[in-house]
Amino acid sequence: MPGISTGLKKKLTISPCTVDEAGNISVDASKPAFEALINPAGYKHQRSIEYNKKKTLGQAGAEPKFSAICPEKIVLQDLVLDGTGVVVLIGMSDVKTMINCLMDVVYKYIGTNHEPNHVRLLWGSLIFFGRVESIAIDYTLFKPSGEPLRAKLQLTFVGWMSDQEMGLKANRSSPDLTHIVEVKAGDSLPLLCYRIYKDSSYYMEVARVNNITNFRDLKPGLKLRFPPLA
């Protein structure tokens, strides 16, 4: 059965959160949330992938190799805080007070946690957990005394991921990581280098790191260390 629409416009709400020892995140209802009086003009949802682009000596170029999936980001654009009287202020008397309320939620250093709050952004279909990465405040209107009457903000939030999620999204076979490989029958050092680095030419460097004098005579069961690419 469809829900009943109240006709009320949904406001962007930014709520402080807690993360328990098991890595679960939830809204902290004991702390006040920030509710926008005027919704932002829009938002950007950014996703990115990190690649290893390091070159080796003598190479003209290097093929980018997948390294990791980066946390998602939300950029709130043109969040307006207005103290001119156009919008009814409930519990917030002026722009300065509104900014302080927002900073208490997203920016204030929490001594017990030794870091700012994790937060939840909730606006219509947008549900995003993360922490603020940057805040830009553009004051655009003032009283004759110089007191700001209107401010326009842009806030960037970096997404929160549990340790388990980060482990699943990270590529554990990345050449940026150290690998310990046990030699099996038929393995050769150039072959193992190709498996790890997609380049067999690193075999001399790997032999040096592992103090191997005869790389052609690898004994099954021998454990070799393959360091990250420099």
Side-chain angles (χ1 to χ4, degrees):
M1 182 176 180
I4 300 174
S5 174
T6 62
L8 297 176
K9 188 175 183 180
K10 298 293 184 181
K11 298 291 183 68
L12 165 71
T13 303
I14 306 175
S15 305
C17 296
T18 58
V19 179
D20 62 24
E21 294 180 356
N24 301 309
I25 191 169
S26 58
V27 171
D28 187 350
S30 67
K31 297 178 181 178
F34 175 84
E35 183 177 274
L37 298 175
I38 303 173
N39 282 327
Y43 64 89
K44 292 181 180 178
H45 192 169
Q46 300 177 346
R47 295 177 174 90
S48 61
I49 297 175
E50 184 176 300
Y51 293 93
N52 172 28
K53 300 178 182 178
K54 295 179 181 178
K55 297 180 182 179
T56 57
L57 188 62
Q59 276 189 315
E63 178 187 356
K65 292 182 172 61
F66 173 80
S67 179
I69 294 177
C70 301
E72 298 178 15
K73 291 185 179 182
I74 290 289
V75 182
L76 296 180
Q77 302 172 297
D78 297 341
L79 174 62
V80 176
L81 304 180
D82 190 284
T84 63
V86 173
V87 181
V88 178
L89 304 178
I90 301 175
M92 292 186 282
S93 57
D94 51 36
V95 168
K96 184 178 180 181
T97 301
M98 285 186 269
I99 291 176
N100 288 339
C101 291
L102 176 60
M103 295 301 107
D104 283 345
V105 176
V106 304
Y107 186 75
K108 182 179 178 182
Y109 181 83
I110 309 301
T112 54
N113 298 335
H114 308 293
E115 58 185 1
N117 281 322
H118 291 79
V119 297
R120 183 194 68 180
L121 308 183
L122 181 62
W123 184 23
S125 61
L126 172 66
I127 302 176
F128 186 85
F129 291 91
R131 281 193 285 192
V132 72
E133 183 179 69
S134 65
I135 304 168
I137 305 176
D138 183 13
Y139 296 97
T140 59
L141 188 65
F142 302 86
K143 295 180 181 179
S145 63
E147 186 76 16
L149 276 172
R150 184 177 296 139
K152 186 184 296 182
L153 288 77
Q154 178 171 295
L155 298 99
T156 301
F157 294 87
V158 60
W160 175 87
M161 285 195 298
S162 67
D163 291 342
Q164 183 180 14
E165 286 177 306
M166 285 188 286
L168 290 172
K169 290 190 175 184
N171 180 6
R172 294 308 182 187
S173 62
S174 168
D176 287 335
L177 302 174
T178 295
H179 301 270
I180 304 297
V181 176
E182 182 175 335
V183 176
K184 297 179 181 179
D187 283 342
S188 68
L189 204 50
L191 177 60
L192 292 173
C193 286
Y194 184 80
R195 288 177 184 169
I196 300 296
Y197 304 121
K198 303 302 180 186
D199 190 337
S200 60
S201 65
Y202 290 109
Y203 72 93
M204 291 297 291
E205 180 63 20
V206 173
R208 185 190 64 79
V209 168
N210 289 276
N211 297 315
I212 295 174
T213 56
N214 186 1
F215 69 88
R216 293 185 177 86
D217 185 24
L218 296 183
K219 303 296 184 184
L222 176 66
K223 291 186 179 180
L224 299 177
R225 185 167 70 92
F226 290 77
L229 293 178

